[in-house]
Amino acid sequence: MATGNALTRLAETRIDYRFKGLPPDAEGLTVAELSAERRSLFTGGFTTPVLALSAEALEHNLALLAGYCGRHGLAFAPHGKTSMAPQLFTRQLDHGAWGVTAAVPAQLRVYRAFGVPRVFLANELVDPVALRWLAGQLDGDPDFRFVCYVDSVRGVELMDAALSAAGARRPVDVVVELGAGEGARTGARTEADCLAVAAAAAGVRTLRLVGVAGYEGEVPQADSGRVRAWLRRLVTLAATLDGDGYFAGSEEILLSAGGSAWFDAVAEVFTAAPQFSRPTLKLLRSGAYVSHDDGHYLRHSPFNRVPAEGRLSPAFRLWAQVISRPEPGQAFLNAGKRDAAYDMDLPEPLVVRSARSRAERPARGITVRKLSDQHTWLRLEGADRAELEVGDWVGLGLSHPCTVFDKWQLIPLVERDGTVTDLVRTFF
């Protein structure tokens, strides 16, 4: 699969009405042609609301996590649901990522279309249509590596039936998912359940058991102690299965965890893991780091606990325009739920760009009260509130990048001075 050719086709996408925020006078240009013009986000015809991705913050974040994983002996398969952007996951691979993590078969198809050689599906896969397609991918490309969860005997039975019916020649690699606790998300809840799933997977020719995995972010009432205790259970489960000979058919043992809030705990516990019977691939899956944010992950970044390791930089800024000042303490922007993430935190006003002078100033005394579908409700307080005028642009910091990327199909990549150097294409 030719990643370069697929990316070239993306660059040949024509600008038109499908892509919000882009200059109307750029209609008919290709993405490559518009990028080559190096227009200013602020004076080059872009319309509000428009989402910008910082070129400098993006490169900083990519390099920082790559270096972190290297120092701690971790392989890296960032969760692509945070971006689903081929230009970004290609850059992650260029920075040394082992592969990419998916959540659903549709995402897996995007990765394969752009030549991703290794995919970890952090879910159980029981859809017979998707499994038939997967069998074709594995049989047609001996270099393609795929791994997914199994967390139930029934799931193993369904996978085996579908792959057998498809005539699959290569077994599908699977890892037993250990659930994070009672009331958590997916995953077998007890070690006994995990052993039953492992036995079922080892008993069919269509699957190959290669390790254990889970997601520590779902540990109930997560704190440092509870997360580390669950991670030690995961390592112990791997050791138990290894001692019982369940990984005899695998060249290596895969041990995987790691969201974007506790990867420091993952690194610590995985580093202390005992020696297994064969080489161990310790796979981290954090994905939100690529853009970081100004809300949830800014507050809960592992780098807050280990500042000597560095610091991620928020890369998103949503620019919206003041369209109404109906009351002294109130203003409205022309962005809303269709444009900004709001599932964890409301956007945070960071900077105001004057329509009169084009000068920027901190957004003092401005807070977001709520979002409508296409409006941001601002509360204005303090001596500076009279300065905000209709026509001004307000730069908003956003929280939870997973639900930012899925609202924008083409995102300007912007240098510090406002120059747009590329347009990042995203898929669902």
Side-chain angles (χ1 to χ4, degrees):
M1 293 192 177
T3 303
N5 290 341
L7 290 176
T8 297
R9 289 195 296 274
L10 279 187
E12 293 169 350
T13 301
R14 295 286 173 181
I15 304 298
D16 59 22
Y17 60 88
R18 294 171 294 169
F19 307 116
K20 58 186 178 181
L22 302 189
D25 67 349
E27 181 150 352
L29 295 179
T30 66
V31 166
E33 289 167 343
L34 177 56
S35 301
E37 291 184 357
R38 296 181 61 85
R39 298 191 187 193
S40 167
L41 184 75
F42 306 111
T43 61
F46 291 85
T47 63
T48 57
V50 60
L51 180 67
L53 183 63
S54 164
E56 293 85 3
L58 174 63
E59 179 55 35
H60 168 79
N61 294 342
L62 289 168
L64 186 63
L65 250 291
Y68 181 86
C69 290
R71 288 192 299 276
H72 292 277
L74 299 171
F76 191 32
H79 210 312
K81 72 182 177 67
T82 55
S83 65
M84 288 308 300
Q87 291 137 290
L88 299 188
F89 58 67
T90 297
R91 289 181 65 175
Q92 290 170 318
L93 293 170
D94 290 343
H95 277 78
W98 172 90
V100 184
T101 296
V104 293
Q107 294 173 350
L108 174 59
R109 290 185 64 194
V110 173
Y111 298 151
R112 290 301 290 157
F114 287 88
V116 175
R118 301 185 188 95
V119 179
F120 185 102
L121 182 72
N123 260 329
E124 190 167 59
L125 180 58
V126 296
D127 184 323
V129 175
L131 285 164
R132 183 168 61 248
W133 174 85
L134 173 63
Q137 291 288 302
L138 289 168
D139 291 345
D141 183 357
D143 295 324
F144 174 40
R145 177 86 191 274
F146 172 83
V147 185
C148 72
Y149 285 168
V150 285
D151 78 347
S152 67
V153 173
R154 174 61 173 160
V156 169
E157 294 170 347
L158 290 170
M159 290 187 74
D160 180 50
L163 292 167
S164 296
R169 297 191 300 273
R170 283 179 63 188
V172 171
D173 286 351
V174 296
V175 290
V176 175
E177 183 193 7
L178 174 66
E182 194 67 33
R185 206 162 61 188
T186 57
R189 291 302 193 248
T190 68
E191 279 71 9
D193 292 337
C194 289
L195 287 170
V197 174
V204 298
R205 68 161 189 84
T206 56
L207 304 180
R208 182 175 69 154
L209 187 63
V210 299
V212 300
Y215 174 46
E216 76 290 341
E218 284 294 321
V219 169
Q221 299 176 313
D223 61 22
S224 179
R226 291 186 178 92
V227 167
R228 282 169 171 78
W230 178 83
L231 286 164
R232 286 191 287 270
R233 281 183 64 200
L234 188 70
V235 171
T236 300
L237 175 63
T240 299
L241 294 175
D242 186 30
D244 290 344
Y246 280 104
F247 304 133
S250 177
E251 296 81 18
E252 64 183 6
I253 295 172
L254 198 156
L255 182 64
S256 181
S260 295
W262 293 102
F263 58 73
D264 58 326
V266 174
E268 177 186 313
V269 175
F270 280 13
T271 298
Q275 189 76 29
F276 294 108
S277 66
R278 60 206 63 232
T280 306
L281 181 71
K282 300 172 182 178
L283 190 65
L284 186 70
R285 307 194 308 271
S286 310
Y289 84 99
V290 70
S291 63
H292 201 39
D293 71 3
D294 282 290
H296 177 79
Y297 289 112
L298 185 67
R299 296 191 301 273
H300 298 290
S301 171
F303 288 129
N304 296 342
R305 298 185 290 270
V306 285
E309 295 276 10
R311 187 177 184 86
L312 293 168
S313 297
F316 273 139
R317 185 160 293 180
L318 177 63
W319 289 95
Q321 194 168 30
V322 180
I323 56 171
S324 181
R325 284 292 318 269
E327 300 174 16
Q330 190 178 46
F332 289 88
L333 304 178
N334 64 342
K337 292 179 180 179
R338 297 176 184 270
D339 312 299
Y342 59 93
D343 57 319
M344 286 189 173
D345 302 290
L346 290 172
E348 179 184 355
L350 298 176
V351 63
V352 176
R353 183 178 176 87
S354 170
R356 294 179 186 270
S357 67
R358 296 182 179 172
E360 293 186 4
R361 65 180 187 274
R364 288 186 292 265
I366 305 174
T367 56
V368 173
R369 287 179 52 208
K370 64 178 180 178
L371 296 178
S372 299
D373 286 348
Q374 296 290 182
H375 293 90
T376 299
W377 299 55
L378 298 182
R379 177 186 294 113
L380 311 180
E381 299 174 309
D384 296 329
R385 70 181 186 176
E387 291 186 43
L388 192 68
E389 294 186 304
V390 170
D392 290 348
W393 284 31
V394 178
L396 301 167
L398 302 175
S399 182
H400 198 199
C402 298
T403 51
V404 178
F405 276 109
D406 64 5
K407 297 177 185 298
W408 295 83
Q409 292 183 299
L410 271 179
I411 304 170
L413 185 67
V414 183
E415 294 182 340
R416 188 170 288 109
D417 65 358
T419 301
V420 175
T421 61
D422 200 357
L423 297 165
V424 174
R425 183 74 160 94
T426 67
F427 295 89
F428 36 84

